[in-house]
Amino acid sequence: MTPVSDPSSFSTVSKCATKHLNLIYHVDFDKRVLKGKVALTLEVLEDKFSSLTLDSKDLKIFKVSANGQAAQFEVGTKHKSKGSPLEITLPFELSRGQHVIVEIEYETSPSATALQWLTPTQTVGKKHPYLFSQCQATHCRSMIPCQDSPSVKHTYYAQVSVPKELVALMSALHDGQVPDPSDSSRVIYRFRQPVSVTSSSLTESWEIGPRSRVWSEKENVDEAAFEFSETETMLKTAESLAGPYVWGQYDLLVMPPSFPYGGMENPCLTFVTPTVLAGDKSLAGVIAHEISHSWTGNLVTNRNWEHFWLNEGHTVYIERMIARCMESEHLRQFKGIGGWKELQESVNQFGANNVLTNLVPNLHEVDTDEAFSSVPYEKGFALLYHLEELLGGPEVFMGFVKSYIQLFAYGTVTTEEWKNYLFTYFKDKVDILNKVDWNAWMHTPGMAPVKPKYDTTMADACTALCQRWVKAKEEDLASFTEEDVKKLNSPQLIEFMALLLQEEPLPLSHVKKMQEVYQLNSVKNAEVRFRWLRICVRAHWEEAVPLALKMATEQGRMKFTRPLFKEVYNFSKYSDKALNTFKENRGALHPVTAMLVAKDLKING
């Protein structure tokens, strides 16, 4: 494996590698801290090894030992986004191939960026507090001193003490629970994760398949069980495409509304936003995406975050192959069209010359949260789809993806290694691969150099309806009826809205008429509602402003919250209203979401 430095980490991954973590946590809801003890089993990779550096962020370190002997330590200067290096000096010297157990007693900060502490009022049930962690990309260091780099994969065992009316869940297999011997009002949950992974509440559960349960606050559990009832079919479809599912259990946890992402592919336990509960399974693509990560992301992992497209581009590719198998090739093509639009929006937002729109960006001195966008997902997919077209179609190219997964399983990979294997696998088509402009795809900002020619069967009706509205004069408005949208399914309705957002803002009269005939204010589907409210605010429909701000604050998925705040902020009459609403609700948002919305609204500090 080629050593590749990680610009987002302080840890000495070339000197030693974590093989196992043993974690003990005491969750303190009153102080909003985790009191922890972690034992890292490290394999030494060089001779005369006597010191190491771990990543940490806002941790109070009480004590460090190595193989039971006290070790000296120092927390270095805090970096603006990477946290602080934890420098540890061992009381002895080790040789390459030896192992050492480094044990650290510590406490997290109440403002740890990996953790969000919710008061009972911020949950659906309103009775109990709730805590969740979100480590990707570089936040694990705020809850565990560790080698916080995706190049390091290890197994783990964890014991978590919580008040006994709550349930603890982790991205691992359950290993039972016992009363906490030091406090009869608490219980200790145990977890084991026997497959190597990267560092990246009152609930009920419902069995939705032979290896799957859905967990959620009890108010949501029936709705979630219905929405995710096709999970086993998706898992079997993914296995037929990518090979066996190695993680044993595949559970879903419906998160509180403030969860910043659509989903997070924690092994064994996918976290999913409640905004996918649409009542009609129309947003199940999020689940297909997270299931696909069980192969690309969790089993095969980008070596550092500059190669994030290897996780996300392949995952989008497999997710759309699942749609092809379960629905139709037309749907896969249609999703590709929608993805290209999302890429266009990200490129517009960053600027076409911004190096963060490179497929492989340089992340030296870059906060990974600020670099997050749809580029690795959709530019990555566009490249894989382009290669599929060049090399013989979906079956042929999926054969390569499956073989790539088998080769790099349980390990990490760089773009160069992926590309070398592509050339090896298609050795009889090297002349075709040599004609690909690799530099334009990988290292050039802006849109992908080749726009795929997708089949427009499902998109044509959306385009036609969009153009009718764009071209309509006042006297044409009477020609629109509710039948226009009855003919569209949920993905097509989303596409129709996305197309309107690419046009100049509609006149206010048009938007009011659209509400009158289509009744869009009452649509539950969050993807539709989010786009509809943006269209309304852009048209300066003042009645939509409180609805847009309500949606921006009653859930915290960054995909929705950031653009909604920005739209209201850009409506100059309501800029102050956007700022004040954000300031009032900032404490209820996830720390990463709050930081990025503040940047969007040009608020310092």
Side-chain angles (χ1 to χ4, degrees):
M1 187 172 94
T2 328
V4 173
S5 68
D6 188 336
S8 310
S9 170
F10 288 116
S11 59
T12 41
V13 293
S14 59
K15 292 172 65 172
C16 60
T18 308
K19 293 298 168 190
H20 183 73
L21 275 189
N22 202 313
L23 265 174
I24 298 173
Y25 273 141
H26 177 98
V27 182
D28 187 333
F29 278 97
D30 295 331
K31 292 186 179 158
R32 295 195 158 196
V33 297
L34 299 178
K35 294 166 181 169
K37 184 191 277 188
V38 63
L40 301 99
T41 303
L42 300 162
E43 182 184 343
V44 176
L45 303 177
E46 63 175 21
D47 286 326
K48 297 189 174 169
F49 174 84
S50 62
S51 67
L52 67 143
T53 306
L54 298 177
D55 289 299
S56 76
K57 191 174 185 185
D58 303 326
L59 298 175
K60 268 189 209 163
I61 310 290
F62 300 121
K63 165 162 134 186
V64 179
S65 65
N67 291 349
Q69 298 178 46
Q72 291 186 307
F73 67 91
E74 187 180 342
V75 179
T77 311
K78 188 174 176 180
H79 178 273
K80 66 180 189 306
S81 61
K82 290 201 291 191
S84 311
L86 172 59
E87 315 275 1
I88 297 171
T89 307
L90 303 184
F92 43 74
E93 205 171 77
L94 294 169
S95 305
R96 182 182 170 88
Q98 290 187 288
H99 286 71
V100 59
I101 296 178
V102 174
E103 201 168 278
I104 303 165
E105 284 184 33
Y106 68 98
E107 185 174 293
T108 61
S109 159
S111 59
T113 51
L115 303 174
Q116 189 176 15
W117 302 85
L118 302 179
T119 61
T121 53
Q122 287 172 276
T123 66
V124 182
K126 313 287 183 203
K127 284 188 190 146
H128 297 282
Y130 196 112
L131 166 67
F132 69 86
S133 65
Q134 167 53 43
C135 290
Q136 191 173 305
T138 55
H139 298 288
C140 191
R141 62 195 68 177
S142 73
M143 60 184 286
I144 309 171
C146 61
Q147 292 185 302
D148 195 4
S149 167
S151 64
V152 177
K153 290 182 143 183
H154 52 75
T155 54
Y156 76 78
Y157 194 87
Q159 300 181 72
V160 185
S161 167
V162 296
K164 65 182 178 192
E165 63 272 16
L166 302 185
V167 173
L169 295 171
M170 285 186 87
S171 56
L173 303 171
H174 292 258
D175 196 34
Q177 63 199 70
V178 293
D180 188 332
S182 62
D183 184 342
S184 61
S185 70
R186 302 175 71 88
V187 64
I188 293 173
Y189 285 84
R190 294 172 172 157
F191 303 93
R192 63 187 170 88
Q193 179 49 273
V195 181
S196 292
V197 295
T198 57
S199 49
S200 343
S201 29
L202 187 75
T203 53
E204 287 198 357
S205 70
W206 191 272
E207 205 161 288
I208 53 168
R211 48 188 157 172
S212 300
R213 300 187 79 83
V214 62
W215 299 80
S216 122
E217 288 190 68
K218 63 174 186 286
E219 290 75 7
N220 282 340
V221 78
D222 292 346
E223 195 180 359
F226 166 77
E227 208 74 41
F228 308 141
S229 58
E230 291 176 352
T231 298
E232 180 61 21
T233 312
M234 283 183 189
L235 275 168
K236 283 196 171 124
T237 306
E239 285 185 306
S240 71
L241 292 165
Y245 178 78
V246 304
W247 305 93
Q249 191 74 6
Y250 182 81
D251 286 1
L252 291 149
L253 172 63
V254 180
M255 300 299 285
S258 61
F259 186 62
Y261 298 104
M264 185 47 62
E265 65 279 7
N266 303 306
C268 307
L269 183 70
T270 281
F271 287 11
V272 63
T273 168
T275 64
V276 301
L277 302 177
D280 59 2
K281 302 185 190 175
S282 61
L283 301 181
V286 169
I287 307 305
H289 183 88
E290 302 311 329
I291 282 175
S292 303
H293 267 308
S294 306
W295 288 267
T296 47
N298 292 347
L299 192 56
V300 179
T301 310
N302 48 232
R303 190 148 317 142
N304 70 33
W305 298 111
E306 294 179 331
H307 303 280
F308 188 44
W309 84 270
L310 292 170
N311 280 18
E312 296 300 349
H314 288 88
T315 296
V316 173
Y317 186 82
I318 298 171
E319 167 205 334
R320 289 180 184 158
M321 286 297 283
I322 292 173
R324 177 179 193 262
C325 296
M326 287 179 65
E327 297 282 340
S328 66
E329 176 62 12
H330 282 324
L331 179 62
R332 182 173 86 113
Q333 296 283 322
F334 182 69
K335 282 175 177 284
I337 293 170
W340 185 263
K341 256 186 227 59
E342 292 197 9
L343 176 59
Q344 184 73 65
E345 194 153 305
S346 281
V347 169
N348 293 347
Q349 187 188 330
F350 277 105
N353 297 318
N354 190 321
V355 291
L356 292 180
T357 64
N358 288 13
L359 192 57
V360 185
N362 179 343
L363 294 182
H364 187 71
E365 289 300 310
V366 174
D367 183 338
T368 48
D369 290 323
E370 292 181 30
F372 183 80
S373 75
S374 65
V375 170
Y377 297 74
E378 296 299 348
K379 205 179 204 179
F381 174 80
L383 170 60
L384 298 176
Y385 183 81
H386 177 58
L387 292 171
E388 173 197 297
E389 289 196 303
L390 294 177
L391 295 165
E395 284 85 0
V396 172
F397 196 72
M398 192 63 221
F400 160 72
V401 172
K402 184 175 185 175
S403 178
Y404 154 77
I405 291 166
Q406 284 168 343
L407 181 67
F408 291 100
Y410 305 102
T412 62
V413 64
T414 63
T415 300
E416 202 56 32
E417 290 167 346
W418 168 86
K419 187 179 158 196
N420 288 344
Y421 185 58
L422 179 76
F423 274 71
T424 304
Y425 185 89
F426 290 108
K427 55 182 180 294
D428 54 338
K429 295 177 179 171
V430 166
D431 51 333
I432 297 172
L433 289 171
N434 280 330
K435 291 193 184 109
V436 173
D437 188 343
W438 294 103
N439 189 57
W441 276 102
M442 301 289 181
H443 305 293
T444 308
M447 291 300 287
V450 179
K451 181 174 183 178
K453 292 182 179 66
Y454 294 116
D455 175 280
T456 60
T457 304
M458 283 181 70
D460 291 339
C462 316
T463 310
L465 185 58
C466 170
Q467 287 308 309
R468 268 184 70 199
W469 278 99
V470 169
K471 294 183 172 135
K473 308 263 187 303
E474 294 289 327
E475 59 271 22
D476 303 326
L477 293 181
S479 70
F480 292 100
T481 70
E482 65 177 321
E483 289 307 308
D484 305 337
V485 288
K486 285 243 168 82
K487 291 178 242 171
L488 306 181
N489 60 25
S490 284
Q492 288 174 308
L493 186 55
I494 293 166
E495 173 66 7
F496 161 61
M497 300 277 171
L499 287 165
L500 284 173
L501 284 168
Q502 288 199 316
E503 302 284 346
E504 288 297 308
L506 287 174
L508 182 53
S509 54
H510 287 47
V511 175
K512 285 184 169 175
K513 182 67 179 178
M514 201 180 283
Q515 165 56 18
E516 185 193 317
V517 289
Y518 300 162
Q519 293 296 309
L520 292 163
N521 281 349
S522 57
V523 172
K524 187 181 176 191
N525 184 309
E527 295 278 355
V528 174
R529 184 169 181 77
F530 150 69
R531 290 172 176 84
W532 163 240
L533 290 172
R534 288 179 71 188
I535 289 164
C536 295
V537 173
R538 280 191 191 177
H540 289 179
W541 190 2
E542 299 193 29
E543 285 174 35
V545 169
L547 298 176
L549 291 174
K550 183 172 188 279
M551 184 172 184
T553 51
E554 70 185 5
Q555 57 75 49
R557 186 175 173 188
M558 287 196 283
K559 176 182 181 177
F560 301 151
T561 293
R562 291 182 68 187
L564 286 167
F565 267 120
K566 268 196 282 198
E567 296 287 3
V568 177
Y569 180 76
N570 291 337
F571 184 175
S572 53
K573 184 175 176 182
Y574 288 95
S575 296
D576 287 347
K577 179 89 175 142
L579 288 168
N580 292 334
T581 304
F582 169 64
K583 285 173 183 166
E584 285 161 21
N585 291 275
R586 186 175 193 160
L589 291 172
H590 187 272
V592 174
T593 313
M595 180 269 287
L596 292 169
V597 173
K599 249 185 173 51
D600 295 337
L601 304 186
K602 303 174 177 63
I603 298 169
N604 295 321

